[in-house]
Amino acid sequence: MFWKKKSLHYQLANQLPLNTPLENMSFTVFDTETTGFSIGGKDRLIEIGAVQVENMSVTDRTFQTFVNPEREIPERIVELTGINEGQVKDAPNSLEAIEAFYKYVEENDSGGWVGHYLSFDVMVLKKELQRHKFTFDEPLSLDTLDLIGYLNPSWDMRDLEHYAKQFGTNIYQRHSALGDALTTAHLLVEIFHHLRMRGKRTLGDIIDITCKENGKILQF
C-alpha cells in the first residue's frame, strides 16, 4: 500500500534579500531534548525550547513545551535533563508539539533557524514528523558551530557551555531545551558582533561563511 506524506502549512522563514543587514533580521534559536541519541530508532523527543533574536538582541519571546515520547524516559536522561515521567505524561505528542513550535516561528516572522549542533535538532524534528507521515521542510538554518569555526578555525568542536564561557556570554539551565536555546541565543548575538568587526554584516555574508565551514554549496 502506498501513502502520500502530508505537509504542515506554516511560514518557517521569510525569503529575504542576501544584502539584508544582520541588525534587520529575526532568527528563531531552538533546542530539543530527547530520550537518547538513537533518534532514528527507539529514542523520542521530550522537549522543545526556543527564543527569538531580533535586531542583534535576545528578546523575551520564548517557547517551551514538553512532549510525550510514548515510551519510558531512561534514568540517565532524567538525571541529565531533569525531565521526568510526570512532566511528559499529559504533554502533547510530537506532532502537536512541533505544530505549536511551527506556529511560534510563523507568528514571530522568523528569518530562519539557529542552533548549536543544529543538525541533531533538525533530525529530531524530521524523524518525528516522518513517524506521523508528514514531510519536513527545513528553512534557512545556521549553526553556531560553523560561525565559531570561521572566527576560530583552530578550535575543536566543543560543548555549548565551553563556547559561552569563551565568549563571556550568559549560561542558562543546561540540558533544558529552553535553557540551552537561551544560552545559544546570547552566544549568537556575541558571535554576530565579532563577525561584524570582520566585515561580515549581511545575510549573504553569513550564508557564505556557513557554506564554507560545513562544505555545502548553495545555489541562488
Side-chain angles (χ1 to χ4, degrees):
M1 179 180 293
F2 294 94
W3 48 265
K4 184 178 180 180
K5 287 186 178 181
K6 300 163 283 187
S7 299
L8 293 175
H9 300 289
Y10 291 90
Q11 176 85 27
L12 297 180
N14 295 319
Q15 300 298 315
L16 298 173
L18 293 180
N19 64 353
T20 303
L22 291 178
E23 59 267 29
N24 293 347
M25 291 200 65
S26 171
F27 294 97
T28 300
V29 183
F30 84 102
D31 185 69
T32 63
E33 296 298 331
T34 62
T35 60
F37 295 108
S38 182
I39 54 177
K42 62 181 180 179
D43 287 314
R44 297 290 186 271
L45 178 65
I46 56 175
E47 187 185 17
I48 305 173
V51 62
Q52 207 68 19
V53 168
E54 283 185 5
N55 307 321
M56 303 274 287
S57 297
V58 181
T59 73
D60 59 0
R61 300 198 306 278
T62 61
F63 172 88
Q64 188 277 336
T65 182
F66 291 117
V67 184
N68 188 336
E70 301 176 347
R71 59 151 289 181
E72 182 180 356
I73 302 176
E75 186 58 34
R76 72 181 189 283
I77 298 299
V78 174
E79 293 175 358
L80 179 68
T81 65
I83 301 172
N84 57 49
E85 300 290 344
Q87 291 169 301
V88 302
K89 179 181 178 182
D90 298 318
N93 67 29
S94 58
L95 178 59
E96 294 167 336
I98 292 171
E99 283 205 82
F101 171 58
Y102 278 13
K103 183 178 180 182
Y104 165 83
V105 173
E106 184 176 70
E107 288 177 344
N108 280 281
D109 210 22
S110 177
W113 291 355
V114 179
H116 190 78
Y117 190 30
L118 184 63
S119 59
F120 176 80
D121 301 297
V122 167
M123 186 59 68
V124 170
L125 299 186
K126 182 176 182 179
K127 291 299 182 182
E128 291 292 357
L129 287 174
Q130 285 179 347
R131 292 183 181 105
H132 291 280
K133 297 181 172 57
F134 275 84
T135 59
F136 175 78
D137 297 314
E138 184 179 357
L140 168 71
S141 298
L142 303 175
D143 196 318
T144 49
L145 283 170
D146 294 327
L147 302 178
I148 292 169
Y150 170 80
L151 291 172
N152 298 280
S154 62
W155 282 10
D156 297 327
M157 187 174 74
R158 299 288 184 89
D159 177 73
L160 172 62
E161 186 172 344
H162 170 85
Y163 291 121
K165 289 178 179 177
Q166 288 286 334
F167 281 88
T169 54
N170 295 352
I171 299 173
Y172 295 81
Q173 182 181 351
R174 293 305 324 279
H175 306 297
S176 148
L178 180 55
D180 282 349
L182 284 165
T183 301
T184 303
H186 284 272
L187 176 61
L188 175 70
V189 170
E190 185 64 19
I191 289 170
F192 278 170
H193 284 297
H194 281 266
L195 290 172
R196 280 167 53 83
M197 287 189 289
R198 295 196 184 187
K200 306 300 181 181
R201 298 174 174 271
T202 68
L203 173 61
D205 291 335
I206 301 306
I207 290 175
D208 184 56
I209 290 168
T210 300
C211 294
K212 288 179 179 177
E213 291 303 314
N214 63 25
K216 290 181 182 177
I217 298 177
L218 297 183
Q219 295 182 345
F220 298 100

